[in-house]
Amino acid sequence: MKFTKKFEEYLKEHYKEVFVIDTRGDGHYLQMHVVDPIFAEKSRLERSRHIFKTLGRFMKVVHALSVWGHTPEEWQKKCGQIEHAEYIHIA
Protein backbone atom coordinates (compact mmCIF):
# COMPACT_ATOMS: atom_id res chain seq x y z
CA MET A 1 0.00 0.00 0.00
CA LYS A 2 1.41 3.36 -0.97
CA PHE A 3 0.21 5.85 1.61
CA THR A 4 2.29 8.90 2.14
CA LYS A 5 3.77 9.41 5.57
CA LYS A 6 1.84 12.67 5.75
CA PHE A 7 -1.48 10.83 5.27
CA GLU A 8 -0.65 8.28 7.95
CA GLU A 9 0.40 10.93 10.45
CA TYR A 10 -2.75 12.92 9.74
CA LEU A 11 -4.97 9.92 10.51
CA LYS A 12 -3.05 9.14 13.70
CA GLU A 13 -3.68 12.70 14.92
CA HIS A 14 -7.45 12.42 14.46
CA TYR A 15 -8.52 8.87 15.31
CA LYS A 16 -7.78 6.17 17.88
CA GLU A 17 -7.38 3.40 15.28
CA VAL A 18 -7.62 3.14 11.50
CA PHE A 19 -7.58 -0.04 9.43
CA VAL A 20 -7.17 0.30 5.67
CA ILE A 21 -7.08 -2.06 2.73
CA ASP A 22 -6.02 -1.03 -0.77
CA THR A 23 -8.36 -3.22 -2.81
CA ARG A 24 -6.50 -2.82 -6.13
CA GLY A 25 -2.98 -2.20 -4.89
CA ASP A 26 -2.68 1.20 -6.56
CA GLY A 27 -3.62 3.51 -3.67
CA HIS A 28 -6.78 4.73 -5.41
CA TYR A 29 -9.44 2.23 -4.25
CA LEU A 30 -9.55 1.99 -0.47
CA GLN A 31 -11.68 0.53 2.28
CA MET A 32 -11.25 2.10 5.71
CA HIS A 33 -12.52 1.18 9.17
CA VAL A 34 -12.08 4.05 11.65
CA VAL A 35 -12.38 3.25 15.36
CA ASP A 36 -12.91 6.08 17.84
CA PRO A 37 -15.17 6.90 20.81
CA ILE A 38 -16.21 10.07 18.97
CA PHE A 39 -18.69 7.96 16.97
CA ALA A 40 -20.82 7.07 19.99
CA GLU A 41 -24.45 8.09 19.46
CA LYS A 42 -23.81 9.17 15.85
CA SER A 43 -25.68 7.62 12.94
CA ARG A 44 -23.81 5.78 10.18
CA LEU A 45 -24.30 8.80 7.92
CA GLU A 46 -22.95 11.21 10.55
CA ARG A 47 -19.92 8.97 11.06
CA SER A 48 -19.20 8.81 7.33
CA ARG A 49 -19.56 12.58 6.97
CA HIS A 50 -17.16 13.13 9.86
CA ILE A 51 -14.54 10.85 8.29
CA PHE A 52 -14.86 12.40 4.82
CA LYS A 53 -14.67 15.92 6.29
CA THR A 54 -11.50 14.97 8.17
CA LEU A 55 -9.96 13.44 5.03
CA GLY A 56 -10.94 16.39 2.81
CA ARG A 57 -7.60 17.40 1.32
CA PHE A 58 -6.49 13.81 0.80
CA MET A 59 -9.55 12.90 -1.24
CA LYS A 60 -7.99 14.41 -4.38
CA VAL A 61 -5.74 11.36 -4.79
CA VAL A 62 -8.30 8.66 -3.94
CA HIS A 63 -10.66 7.51 -6.67
CA ALA A 64 -12.95 5.39 -4.47
CA LEU A 65 -13.15 5.13 -0.69
CA SER A 66 -15.52 3.10 1.44
CA VAL A 67 -15.53 4.15 5.10
CA TRP A 68 -17.02 2.73 8.25
CA GLY A 69 -16.91 4.44 11.63
CA HIS A 70 -17.04 2.33 14.78
CA THR A 71 -16.88 2.90 18.51
CA PRO A 72 -14.25 0.73 20.23
CA GLU A 73 -17.05 -1.51 21.58
CA GLU A 74 -18.60 -1.96 18.15
CA TRP A 75 -15.20 -2.75 16.68
CA GLN A 76 -14.59 -5.48 19.26
CA LYS A 77 -17.85 -7.16 18.21
CA LYS A 78 -17.07 -6.73 14.50
CA CYS A 79 -13.50 -8.07 14.70
CA GLY A 80 -14.61 -11.64 14.21
CA GLN A 81 -16.44 -10.72 11.00
CA ILE A 82 -13.56 -9.01 9.18
CA GLU A 83 -10.48 -10.66 7.74
CA HIS A 84 -7.83 -8.55 9.51
CA ALA A 85 -4.91 -10.06 7.65
CA GLU A 86 -5.86 -8.00 4.59
CA TYR A 87 -6.03 -4.70 6.47
CA ILE A 88 -3.12 -2.49 7.44
CA HIS A 89 -3.38 -0.93 10.90
CA ILE A 90 -2.01 2.59 10.47
CA ALA A 91 -3.19 4.47 13.54
Side-chain angles (χ1 to χ4, degrees), residues 5-81:
K5 192 70 170 168
K6 195 180 283 189
F7 182 70
E8 290 180 20
E9 291 300 318
Y10 187 76
L11 289 170
K12 288 177 185 179
E13 289 173 16
H14 288 86
Y15 297 112
K16 182 178 177 183
E17 292 188 276
V18 180
F19 297 88
V20 179
I21 186 170
D22 182 347
T23 59
R24 293 176 77 180
D26 61 5
H28 297 285
Y29 294 83
L30 309 175
Q31 292 180 4
M32 181 182 300
H33 289 270
V34 179
V35 181
D36 201 281
I38 195 169
F39 296 126
E41 299 187 28
K42 291 187 189 284
S43 70
R44 180 175 162 94
L45 180 60
E46 291 171 321
R47 294 172 184 202
S48 294
R49 285 180 177 162
H50 186 277
I51 295 166
F52 281 114
K53 184 176 179 181
T54 302
L55 295 175
R57 65 186 175 135
F58 293 100
M59 292 307 297
K60 294 177 184 175
V61 297
V62 176
H63 178 74
L65 175 64
S66 298
V67 298
W68 292 273
H70 310 278
T71 64
E73 296 78 19
E74 292 167 343
W75 183 246
Q76 285 293 358
K77 290 178 186 175
K78 190 149 189 85
C79 282
Q81 302 170 9

